[in-house]
Amino acid sequence: MPNNSEHKILLIFSTVLIVLLGYLNYILRGGFNLFPLYLILLAIVAWKENLLNTMLLSSLAGVILIVKIFHTQHFYANEYLYYWDGLVKFSLLFIMSYGFWKIRHLMHIRDEINLELKQAMASLAAANGELNVLNSSLEIRVAKAVDELREKDNMLILEYRQALMGKMINNIAHQWRQPLNALGLVVQQVPLYYDSNEFDKEFIETNTAMAMKLIQHMSRTIDDFRNFFRSDKEASIFGVNQVISQVLSLVEETFKHDNIGIALNPESDPMVNGYPNEYAQVLLNVLMNARDALTAQNVDNALISIRSFSEAGKSVVTITDNAGGIAEEILGKIFDPYFTTKGPDKGTGIGLYMSKTIIDKNMGGLLTARNAGSGAEFRIEV
Ligand SMILES: Nc1ncnc2c1ncn2[C@@H]1O[C@H](COP(=O)(O)OP(=O)(O)OP(=O)(O)O)[C@@H](O)[C@H]1O
Ligand SMILES: [Mg+2]
């Protein structure tokens, strides 16, 4: 590309040359036709310069040409011919110089567009490359984050289950109190009967059988607790009512001790494909929350109603208490991790978060809560 000073030199050179050519024509009086030289000069200027310079130069050439034509009119046979010749040559100068300039201009635009296109394509390719790298790493990162989250959730479920185990010690104590008392009576009977006539083989057999039955009952309680805290390895189909009764057998003595009634209302026996122990953990957590609310409010006729039924091909269990419900302003937060209204030594706030993870994520169901009647209602739908 010629620079600015080269342009100036070209322009001055062309102007001087055109004037010189004009002068030469004047001297030679039309002996030579120098018109083609004008054209070549103008073509070069049009090619290199802008439109204004091209037009100025072609006007100068045109003026010189007309002066020359007027000066040599005696060469023309007809008076009008030299007008005509002047007009044609003058127009030719303009048209040709404009044409050259236009072609050059268009080529310039084309080059610029091509360059821009090339640059755009290059940056597009670069962006595409970056995007691909980002995309593939994003997939990996998202998968990793999801894995980590799942891992964390599962750890939380496990830890919470262990924490629950601690809470359940109290329940085991209540579960054992009654059979232990009964066992005590059975044992006390032995020395009392020893001196009487009734102390015979039959007495020993009945007494032993009774003691064994009580011991087996206590052993079963321990098994129930142990089974409950075992992790579900794989999903299986289980009856909702059976899990409800297992959970109730773990807590009924404690609830009785706290004067909380339980109304069980199985309308049907819906089946669920999922993790029975995790499901039991959810039930237990919701029941413990209801118990906490009922004892905190000191409700007379404290009652927890449990309904189980099928709806639109899904199993539904609702657990309703009469402890006054959940304040509207916290209803949207109770499933958040670490949200609790209980004291730090009483609640971790993980219970409902964990329950929702189990039902919604692990089993593809829905755990919801609302206020109904004179308390809170939790609905487990799987
Ligand atoms: N039946 C209910 N009645 C009234 N409020 C409830 C009931 N169930 C849950 N809540 C509210 O929801 C909150 C969160 O319950 P969540 O089970 O997640 O944690 P927590 O019971 O406080 O602690 P954690 O279960 O970890 O020991 C409770 O602190 C309580 O305010
Ligand atoms: Mg809880």
Side-chain angles (χ1 to χ4, degrees):
M1 273 290 249
N3 57 32
N4 247 356
S5 60
E6 281 174 342
H7 274 249
K8 262 183 211 154
I9 292 170
L10 175 69
L11 204 62
I12 293 167
F13 174 76
S14 314
T15 316
V16 171
L17 217 59
I18 282 180
V19 173
L20 276 178
L21 282 172
Y23 184 64
L24 206 64
N25 249 334
Y26 177 76
I27 293 173
L28 295 174
R29 309 213 162 199
F32 287 109
N33 193 354
L34 295 175
F35 181 68
L37 285 177
Y38 286 25
L39 288 186
I40 291 169
L41 256 178
L42 279 172
I44 294 168
V45 172
W47 200 254
K48 299 276 184 196
E49 288 288 319
N50 56 29
L51 185 62
L52 185 70
N53 287 343
T54 308
M55 285 303 155
L56 279 175
L57 214 59
S58 55
S59 309
L60 176 69
V63 169
I64 290 173
L65 203 70
I66 286 167
V67 170
K68 180 221 150 187
I69 284 171
F70 271 95
H71 194 68
T72 55
Q73 51 182 276
H74 55 273
F75 283 116
Y76 295 88
N78 188 309
E79 180 185 348
Y80 293 106
L81 254 181
Y82 73 78
Y83 287 122
W84 180 244
D85 187 33
L87 195 69
V88 167
K89 283 185 174 168
F90 197 65
S91 313
L92 253 175
L93 279 175
F94 271 97
I95 292 168
M96 195 223 60
S97 52
Y98 179 77
F100 264 96
W101 176 82
K102 194 76 199 171
I103 291 170
R104 164 77 182 175
H105 186 64
L106 286 177
M107 279 168 76
H108 190 65
I109 291 175
R110 189 202 58 192
D111 286 351
E112 266 180 4
I113 290 175
N114 269 349
L115 192 74
E116 269 174 31
L117 209 67
K118 234 185 237 168
Q119 280 169 351
M121 298 268 275
S123 52
L124 199 71
N128 235 346
E130 271 172 34
L131 202 70
N132 277 346
V133 171
L134 246 161
N135 242 347
S136 56
S137 74
L138 192 73
E139 264 171 36
I140 296 168
R141 275 184 293 167
V142 167
K144 210 170 138 208
V146 168
D147 274 357
E148 276 174 13
L149 219 64
R150 195 164 284 257
E151 185 81 356
K152 259 189 204 155
D153 275 346
N154 285 343
M155 283 295 291
L156 208 63
I157 292 174
L158 232 110
E159 274 171 25
Y160 191 78
R161 196 179 289 188
Q162 278 155 6
L164 265 183
M165 220 188 284
K167 288 189 189 178
M168 296 303 275
I169 297 282
N170 195 25
N171 288 53
I172 297 179
H174 281 295
Q175 292 278 80
W176 273 24
R177 184 159 296 147
Q178 193 263 339
L180 264 179
N181 281 342
L183 196 64
L185 288 176
V186 171
V187 174
Q188 277 166 8
Q189 271 183 336
V190 178
L192 288 177
Y193 273 63
Y194 185 72
D195 295 326
S196 74
N197 311 340
E198 288 170 56
F199 190 79
D200 49 14
K201 193 166 180 256
E202 197 192 333
F203 169 79
I204 291 176
E205 275 173 3
T206 349
N207 227 13
T208 313
M210 258 159 68
M212 283 315 292
K213 211 169 142 195
L214 288 165
I215 289 168
Q216 272 161 13
H217 173 68
M218 286 162 71
S219 162
R220 231 186 357 258
T221 314
I222 291 289
D223 283 347
D224 284 350
F225 278 100
R226 244 207 346 241
N227 281 338
F228 173 72
F229 289 109
R230 204 168 279 158
S231 285
D232 300 290
K233 295 258 172 335
E234 276 167 19
S236 58
I237 295 175
F238 61 89
V240 162
N241 288 344
Q242 199 194 338
V243 179
I244 293 176
S245 9
Q246 273 167 7
V247 171
L248 286 181
S249 76
L250 299 180
V251 295
E252 63 194 355
E253 288 302 327
T254 328
F255 281 33
K256 219 182 270 172
H257 177 261
D258 291 335
N259 288 324
I260 297 170
I262 295 179
L264 184 59
N265 192 0
E267 286 166 27
S268 64
D269 189 13
M271 303 301 282
V272 165
N273 188 5
Y275 305 98
N277 278 355
E278 290 194 356
Y279 192 90
Q281 201 172 328
V282 173
L283 286 175
L284 187 66
N285 185 52
V286 173
L287 285 171
M288 303 272 259
N289 277 348
R291 187 198 65 171
D292 286 349
L294 288 165
T295 47
Q297 301 296 325
N298 223 346
V299 178
D300 289 332
N301 302 322
L303 183 70
I304 299 174
S305 314
I306 305 173
R307 273 178 68 206
S308 61
F309 52 96
S310 298
E311 197 179 271
K314 301 220 162 174
S315 72
V316 182
V317 173
T318 61
I319 299 162
T320 319
D321 61 58
N322 58 349
I326 304 163
E328 286 299 327
E329 59 268 24
I330 66 159
L331 200 53
K333 296 186 200 155
I334 57 170
F335 293 107
D336 292 350
Y338 306 109
F339 177 81
T340 179
T341 54
K342 300 167 192 172
D345 50 330
K346 284 200 174 150
T348 60
I350 295 172
L352 284 179
Y353 169 71
M354 178 213 67
S355 302
K356 197 152 176 68
T357 305
I358 290 175
I359 298 298
D360 293 23
K361 284 198 195 152
N362 293 6
M363 298 211 224
L366 195 64
L367 171 66
T368 51
R370 63 177 186 133
N371 287 317
S374 51
E377 181 188 276
F378 285 83
R379 181 184 164 101
I380 308 166
E381 196 179 306
V382 184

